[in-house]
Amino acid sequence: MEETYLLNVEGVKKKILHGGQGELPKFQDGSKITFHFQTLKDNFERTVIDDSRDAGIPMEIIVGKMFKLEIWETLLSSMRIGEVAEFWCDIIHTGMYALVSRGMRRIAEGRDPLEGQKHRCGMGNMFDYHSTGYDDLDELQRTPQPLIFIMELFRVEEPSAYKRDTWAMSKEEKLAAVPVLHSEGNRLVLRREFAQAAAKYQEAVICLRNLQAKEKPWEDDWLKLESLVTPLVLNYCQCQLELGEYYEVLEHTTELLQKHNDNAKAYFKRAKAHAAVWNEREAREDFLRVAHLDPSMAAAVKKELKQLGERMRKKHVEDRKRYQGLFQSRQG
């Protein structure tokens, strides 16, 4: 098919390599677009910069959520399901590609895409660090150039047709999701599916933390959200205790207690985690703090302290035997 300019888009040419099926999909705000892409230099060799097939999974973007490379949404919105098209894009559309590519590559490598960034816009980060960590992307930053994108569109899902990622939800959607996730987590706990339950509680906390980030700390709206966060974090920590992830519990309960130093349940869970990793002094201090803050938990604290004492005595006996055996073997 002949090369044509996309309607009302300056600096873009499109060539259809394989026709799609049906009508043009409805690309409404919140729709999820799934596609494969290949990025090439506009040179004689058509050097390949990125290919999503190398990672083994297609790319996904959400319409209207300000993906850093805005032109991609425009390109994809011109395509039908199953279509493969080649787009030539001028420099005015490709300036952010190096940063977008860096994030995608880090995700494919199992790394944090924001690793090393300050909380600034993408352009600010680019000037701060000068290097993306990839030589070919550094070259693109130094010498901006037109790029070629070859895209294959797989599907376009309406907002109601898929489970939306937390970051893609509106404020109202996040607030509505929290009690549902909380309830799902509780149901999974009853079935003793602790890892799955922890994931539900964690997702609910992320929703609330995202909302809190837009509020002024310790003011009414922030505190209302915090009151919802606290029980979810405690439930998450209980799941981690059941799973034996004691240092995870220590981290989250300590963070919680830095804000709420009178939360007896947080002290209790932290004490159990300390006891599990043989931090006897810290465990005793936290258990005693629980009894002081909440006398109704005194019986539970007494039981835990008794178990802690028995475990520590047993450990001391085992350690003494081990050291004696080691000493005797060296003497021999």
Side-chain angles (χ1 to χ4, degrees):
M1 182 172 286
E2 290 186 1
E3 244 176 35
T4 57
Y5 280 94
L6 277 181
L7 189 63
N8 297 325
V9 181
E10 180 185 356
V12 175
K13 298 175 185 177
K14 175 181 178 180
K15 184 192 295 181
I16 297 177
L17 306 180
H18 178 77
Q21 303 95 38
E23 300 294 321
L24 201 66
K26 292 182 180 178
F27 295 89
Q28 58 182 315
D29 276 6
S31 295
K32 180 163 73 173
I33 307 174
T34 304
F35 61 101
H36 265 309
F37 75 93
Q38 194 176 45
T39 305
L40 306 93
K41 289 185 178 181
D42 183 22
N43 58 13
F44 180 77
E45 296 83 6
R46 288 169 63 95
T47 306
V48 176
I49 301 171
D50 289 306
D51 189 335
S52 61
R53 285 181 173 79
D54 290 342
I57 54 173
M59 179 75 179
E60 295 176 348
I61 64 173
I62 307 297
V63 175
K65 291 300 177 181
M66 296 182 69
F67 182 64
K68 281 181 181 177
L69 202 65
E70 294 178 17
I71 193 61
W72 273 17
E73 191 174 308
T74 303
L75 306 181
L76 290 161
S77 297
S78 76
M79 298 176 69
R80 290 174 169 77
I81 303 300
E83 181 179 325
V84 181
E86 177 177 308
F87 300 91
W88 177 91
C89 294
D90 205 352
I91 293 172
I92 57 173
H93 301 297
T94 62
M96 292 295 290
Y97 185 77
L99 290 179
V100 171
S101 176
R102 176 181 66 175
M104 293 187 294
R105 290 184 187 187
R106 286 183 170 177
I107 291 170
E109 293 165 3
R111 298 164 60 193
D112 181 355
L114 301 179
E115 178 186 314
Q117 285 194 18
K118 297 177 181 177
H119 295 290
R120 296 180 55 184
C121 68
M123 196 61 73
N125 278 306
M126 186 166 67
F127 287 126
D128 261 352
Y129 294 94
H130 306 294
S131 175
T132 62
Y134 303 93
D135 292 341
D136 58 338
L137 299 182
D138 288 345
E139 181 196 343
L140 285 181
Q141 284 193 167
R142 287 191 298 269
T143 56
Q145 55 196 272
L147 294 173
I148 296 168
F149 302 112
I150 300 176
M151 295 179 160
E152 180 179 1
L153 179 61
F154 292 133
R155 59 183 173 272
V156 179
E157 298 170 87
E158 294 182 2
S160 60
Y162 66 94
K163 182 181 180 296
R164 303 186 68 186
D165 294 325
T166 300
W167 65 267
M169 292 181 181
S170 67
K171 178 180 179 180
E172 292 72 23
E173 288 170 331
K174 287 174 184 172
L175 285 172
V178 168
V180 175
L181 291 166
H182 198 158
S183 177
E184 289 175 351
N186 291 347
R187 189 175 70 252
L188 288 163
V189 166
L190 291 174
R191 287 157 50 181
R192 301 192 64 78
E193 296 178 17
F194 298 113
Q196 296 89 329
K200 296 293 183 183
Y201 295 137
Q202 185 178 44
E203 189 174 350
V205 169
I206 290 170
C207 285
L208 293 169
R209 292 296 190 207
N210 286 345
L211 294 173
Q212 265 192 322
K214 297 178 174 65
E215 305 294 342
K216 189 171 286 188
W218 302 105
E219 293 200 349
D220 287 347
D221 289 340
W222 188 94
L223 288 169
K224 286 177 185 176
L225 293 168
E226 184 68 15
S227 69
L228 298 174
V229 167
T230 300
L232 288 164
V233 172
L234 291 172
N235 287 359
Y236 174 81
C237 288
Q238 183 59 43
C239 291
Q240 297 303 321
L241 281 174
E242 298 286 352
L243 294 167
E245 299 290 345
Y246 303 118
Y247 290 101
E248 181 91 353
V249 177
L250 292 175
E251 178 185 347
H252 288 284
T253 50
T254 298
E255 183 182 342
L256 191 63
L257 288 166
Q258 286 171 349
K259 298 177 186 173
H260 313 285
N261 63 4
D262 59 348
N263 192 303
K265 290 181 179 178
Y267 278 113
F268 190 77
K269 294 185 194 307
R270 189 171 75 171
K272 286 179 72 69
H274 274 308
V277 296
W278 308 105
N279 296 338
E280 182 180 13
R281 179 179 60 80
E282 292 87 346
R284 289 187 181 280
E285 288 176 356
D286 278 353
F287 279 132
L288 292 172
R289 181 73 170 163
V290 171
H292 173 74
L293 288 169
D294 187 353
S296 70
M297 297 181 71
V301 166
K302 185 177 180 181
K303 180 181 176 182
E304 292 289 343
L305 285 172
K306 182 180 178 182
Q307 289 178 352
L308 175 62
E310 291 170 353
R311 287 182 69 240
M312 294 307 301
R313 280 192 292 275
K314 185 178 179 181
K315 182 176 185 294
H316 291 324
V317 170
E318 290 174 352
D319 287 348
R320 191 158 51 246
K321 287 180 180 177
R322 190 179 303 115
Y323 293 142
Q324 285 174 348
L326 180 65
F327 178 74
Q328 287 169 358
S329 66
R330 285 182 176 175
Q331 287 289 327

